[in-house]
Amino acid sequence: RKEVEQDPGPFNVPEGATVAFNCTYSNSASQSFFWYRQDCRKEPKLLMSVYSSGNEDGRFTAQLNRASQYISLLIRDSKLSDSATYLCVVPQGGKLIFGQGTELSVKP
Amino acid sequence: DGGITQSPKYLFRKEGQNVTLSCEQNLNHDAMYWYRQDPGQGLRLIYYSQIVNDFQKGDIAEGYSVSREKKESFPLTVTSAQKNPTAFYLCASSTRPEGIRANVLTFGAGSRLTVL
């Protein structure tokens, strides 16, 4: 099992849709989790941190399921500007492990 | 405004040449990192440094070297020993290694290296 594994994507959704991505992790001792957004050929930027069961910021909700060892990112009312790759990041053994990313494309 | 500056943004290299990628930060962050990203893959850690004059190998350090002589600077040298150096290189920094925000990374804009 990979240390951090994300839904492979790409996800193609219409504007206004609700979309969710999953990220599974292998180390049950991980305590904090992060979602980063990366636009094409740009650097990743922090979207959300998750330190407990979940976090919500406007249209974005991150949920943590420790028993099943996954975190999810829910985007409501998708906008064209949400099109990007979303990276799941899990601290592990003093390092940060990145998932391979899930690509989202929001269409008019 | 504080941030991380990487240079050059684009770099072309002939096989057998060493190249050095610059990374400078004015965020007063203690920890700095170098990642490599290949198409369709997640970021892989090359080297990281938690304090001046100290650094550790990441998962793919072979063929790379770094130095951390100043808190603000963490240059990466891609040597001729790196077999597949064409990639997108990202430098990042974070606050002190301990603490709740220790794992929140700020990235530079990246350097895209192409070997001809």
Side-chain angles (χ1 to χ4, degrees):
Chain A
R1 181 181 183 182
K2 286 186 180 178
E3 292 176 296
V4 178
E5 194 158 7
Q6 297 186 234
D7 284 340
F11 284 66
N12 297 299
V13 302
E15 264 187 297
T18 295
V19 61
F21 315 133
N22 283 326
C23 169
T24 58
Y25 60 94
S26 61
N27 187 351
S28 60
S30 297
Q31 295 294 313
S32 56
F33 308 86
F34 305 88
W35 284 102
Y36 280 75
R37 172 197 168 122
Q38 185 175 25
D39 292 303
C40 187
R41 302 178 74 83
K42 301 283 190 178
E43 75 273 25
K45 293 184 179 178
L46 181 68
L47 179 65
M48 298 186 77
S49 306
V50 185
Y51 299 111
S52 58
S53 61
N55 192 9
E56 184 171 334
D57 183 5
R59 298 182 294 107
F60 298 84
T61 301
Q63 292 185 318
L64 170 62
N65 184 317
R66 291 190 187 276
S68 300
Q69 292 181 213
Y70 75 85
I71 56 173
S72 62
L73 178 67
L74 179 76
I75 305 175
R76 291 180 295 275
D77 188 23
S78 299
K79 311 291 185 189
L80 296 177
S81 58
D82 293 335
S83 297
T85 296
Y86 292 84
L87 303 171
C88 171
V89 184
V90 180
Q92 198 163 297
K95 297 185 295 185
L96 294 173
I97 308 299
F98 283 76
Q100 77 275 26
T102 298
E103 184 181 345
L104 171 65
S105 180
V106 182
K107 305 292 187 184
Chain B
D1 288 338
I4 299 180
T5 301
Q6 287 187 242
S7 63
K9 189 170 183 178
Y10 297 96
L11 184 60
F12 297 88
R13 186 194 96 173
K14 292 182 180 179
E15 283 193 27
Q17 288 181 334
N18 292 354
V19 294
T20 297
L21 308 181
S22 169
C23 177
E24 302 279 332
Q25 55 102 355
N26 61 3
L27 298 166
N28 199 32
H29 283 173
D30 289 287
M32 297 188 74
Y33 310 81
W34 274 104
Y35 289 90
R36 167 182 173 142
Q37 187 175 35
D38 294 282
Q41 296 190 34
L43 277 64
R44 293 184 289 167
L45 183 64
I46 305 173
Y47 269 98
Y48 62 105
S49 167
Q50 295 182 337
I51 196 169
V52 175
N53 293 323
D54 188 43
F55 48 83
Q56 289 79 40
K57 293 182 178 180
D59 300 315
I60 56 166
E62 185 176 352
Y64 299 98
S65 65
V66 294
S67 63
R68 187 86 187 276
E69 297 176 0
K70 299 186 300 182
K71 186 176 183 178
E72 302 79 19
S73 179
F74 192 41
L76 173 74
T77 297
V78 184
T79 75
S80 57
Q82 169 51 234
K83 298 305 178 189
N84 297 292
T86 295
F88 187 42
Y89 291 88
L90 287 157
C91 179
S93 70
S94 69
T95 55
R96 293 179 65 83
E98 66 274 9
I100 198 168
R101 289 193 61 80
N103 294 314
V104 176
L105 296 178
T106 300
F107 285 89
S111 293
R112 198 167 295 274
L113 172 63
T114 302
V115 174
L116 303 173

